[in-house]
């Protein structure tokens, strides 16, 4: 009988301790979703990057100019041609940069979670 009581007590205790962890995980996921929702849609970001004269539309010249910049960045030996190697290295560089940004975002989320989980400092008591 004593073992059953200990088992039930242990189960209740584990369950009670699990709830705040699950709730906090949901809050963190919600915070990440809210951050993503604050970001403008891809079309708006693309317009902002391409519409250099801020006319509200993108001309062929604006579009070509942006892509000419990308081409020059990728053309490592500046010969006016892209090789498989140059394209592969450019892809790898973009991928590494994206992974770096993702890691920074993860660290920001961890810092925020730790800050939110830390107990608040108690205010000095009035005498």
């Amino acid at each position: 009988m004593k073992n059953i009581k200990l088992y039930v007590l242990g189960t209740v205790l584990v369950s009670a301790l699990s709830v705040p962890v699950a709730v906090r995980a949901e809050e963190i996921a919600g915070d990440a979703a809210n951050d993503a929702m604050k970001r403008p849609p891809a079309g708006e970001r693309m317009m902002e990057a391409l519409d250099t004269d801020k006319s509200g539309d993108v001309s062929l010249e604006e579009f070509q100019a942006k892509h000419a910049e990308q081409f020059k960045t990728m053309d490592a030996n500046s010969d006016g041609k892209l090789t498989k190697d140059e394209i592969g290295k450019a892809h790898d560089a973009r991928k590494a940069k994206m992974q770096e940004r993702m890691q920074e975002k993860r660290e920001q989320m961890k810092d925020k979670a730790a800050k939110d989980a830390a107990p608040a400092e108690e205010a000095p008591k009035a005498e």
Side-chain angles (χ1 to χ4, degrees):
M1 186 69 160
K2 185 177 181 180
N3 288 341
I4 293 174
K5 287 180 182 178
L6 286 174
Y7 175 77
V8 170
L9 181 61
T11 303
V12 170
L13 184 59
V14 168
S15 298
L17 293 174
S18 301
V19 170
V21 172
V23 169
R24 184 65 194 129
E26 286 180 19
E27 288 174 3
I28 291 170
D31 290 346
N34 287 338
D35 288 346
M37 290 180 1
K38 291 176 191 172
R39 189 174 177 197
E44 288 180 28
R45 294 191 315 269
M46 189 173 193
M47 278 296 292
E48 188 174 317
L50 294 174
D51 185 16
T52 55
D53 65 3
K54 305 302 177 203
S55 64
D57 52 26
V58 177
S59 68
L60 177 60
E61 290 80 17
E62 288 172 314
F63 188 84
Q64 289 175 331
K66 183 66 174 178
H67 288 86
E69 288 176 32
Q70 292 174 339
F71 184 94
K72 287 178 186 176
T73 301
M74 293 170 68
D75 186 14
N77 63 1
S78 300
D79 67 352
K81 299 174 187 173
L82 295 179
T83 63
K84 286 181 186 179
D85 187 48
E86 289 171 325
I87 292 171
K89 286 180 180 178
H91 173 74
D92 292 344
R94 281 192 308 271
K95 185 177 176 181
K97 188 174 182 179
M98 181 178 66
Q99 288 174 338
E100 184 179 306
R101 286 193 311 257
M102 290 172 63
Q103 182 60 33
E104 288 172 4
K105 187 66 174 177
R106 281 189 210 102
E107 289 172 11
Q108 290 172 356
M109 290 173 65
K110 284 181 186 177
D111 291 346
K112 185 177 184 325
K115 181 182 173 188
D116 290 348
E121 291 185 30
E122 292 185 27
K125 296 181 181 177
E127 292 182 27

